Each structure stands twice: as C-alpha cells, then as structure tokens.
Amino acid sequence: MTDFASAGEDGDDSGVLVRLSEARRARLELPVTFERRELDQILRLYGQMVATGEWRDYAIDHLRDRAVFSVFRRTSEVPLFQIVKTPKLARKQGAYSVIATTGAILKRGHELSRVLTVFDRKLKLVRA
C-alpha cells in the first residue's frame, strides 16, 4: 500500500491542495478587463474618430464588476461616450453597451462589433 501523506515530508511538493472556495473567491476579486480582440475593435474605432477630429483622448478603467473605455473630446471634460463591458449581463441584455454623456444607453448587445455600429456614419441626402 502506498502512503501518499508522507510524500510532502521528503521535500517533494509536487501537488498543492487548494480549497475550491478560495480559488473562486480569488478569481472573483480580479477586475473585469477587455480582451485583446475587444481592445483591437475599440481602438480601431477610436483611431478613425481621432482622424476625423471628433475624439482626442481616452481612458480605460478596470473595475470589479465592469470594464469601461471612456472617450473624451478634451481631457478636462466629462466623457462623450463610454463603452462598457459588464459580464454579469452577458446572459440577459448583453455584456456590451455604449453610454452617452447624459447616461442614456445608446446601444446594448451580446457582440461588441454590433454595439459599436452605433458610431457608424449614416449617409444623408444633401440638396443644393
């Protein structure tokens, strides 16, 4: 019969016992972040808007319950828009949303690319 309890006494610590509740608690304490592909989509849009002169600055906040990408016209102002990722809403209304300065939710959904279409330019008929 093999005695597994004495394996740690020889200095061979090949396995560490971790309580599942502690592992879950440690995972829950991590802030919500944007993944690389999400940041690529957001920064691509940001670059286009900077090129047109509409946006000039941004800030990224990684909070406990959500990640926020704020867009500014000037650094000293309040954000024009906030692109928010809230994983708790992923199964309900969608994890992604775009919020205006007034706090109004402009668009919400499950896919970031669809939510960012709120910034697409609409063609207008101009009469001479």
Side-chain angles (χ1 to χ4, degrees), residues 1-126:
M1 178 178 237
T2 307
D3 185 16
F4 293 107
S6 64
E9 295 174 4
D10 297 337
D12 181 22
D13 295 331
S14 61
V16 178
L17 182 63
V18 178
R19 293 182 184 266
L20 184 58
S21 61
E22 291 175 10
R24 285 182 179 157
R25 191 177 314 118
R27 187 184 64 185
L28 291 176
E29 291 174 2
L30 294 174
V32 176
T33 59
F34 289 107
E35 295 175 8
R36 176 68 184 195
R37 290 181 181 168
E38 296 167 341
L39 272 178
D40 285 344
Q41 290 178 355
I42 294 170
L43 290 174
R44 189 177 310 116
L45 171 68
Y46 176 77
Q48 292 171 355
M49 298 304 255
V50 167
T52 62
E54 292 186 33
W55 296 351
R56 294 190 183 211
D57 200 8
Y58 72 91
I60 301 175
D61 296 312
H62 299 283
L63 306 173
R64 192 172 201 195
D65 61 337
R66 66 188 184 276
V68 181
F69 187 95
S70 303
V71 178
F72 299 89
R73 181 168 288 146
R74 290 181 188 80
T75 307
S76 62
E77 294 182 352
V78 296
L80 290 174
F81 301 102
Q82 291 181 333
I83 302 167
V84 181
K85 175 183 177 182
T86 312
K88 286 185 179 180
L89 298 177
R91 293 183 181 225
K92 297 177 184 176
Q93 303 149 341
Y96 305 102
S97 59
V98 174
I99 302 173
T101 304
T102 60
I105 297 174
L106 301 178
K107 195 157 189 172
R108 177 180 284 163
H110 297 281
E111 297 174 16
L112 181 60
S113 57
R114 285 186 170 241
V115 171
L116 294 179
T117 59
V118 74
F119 296 111
D120 288 349
R121 299 227 179 247
K122 311 281 191 282
L123 295 176
K124 296 179 183 177
L125 179 63
V126 178

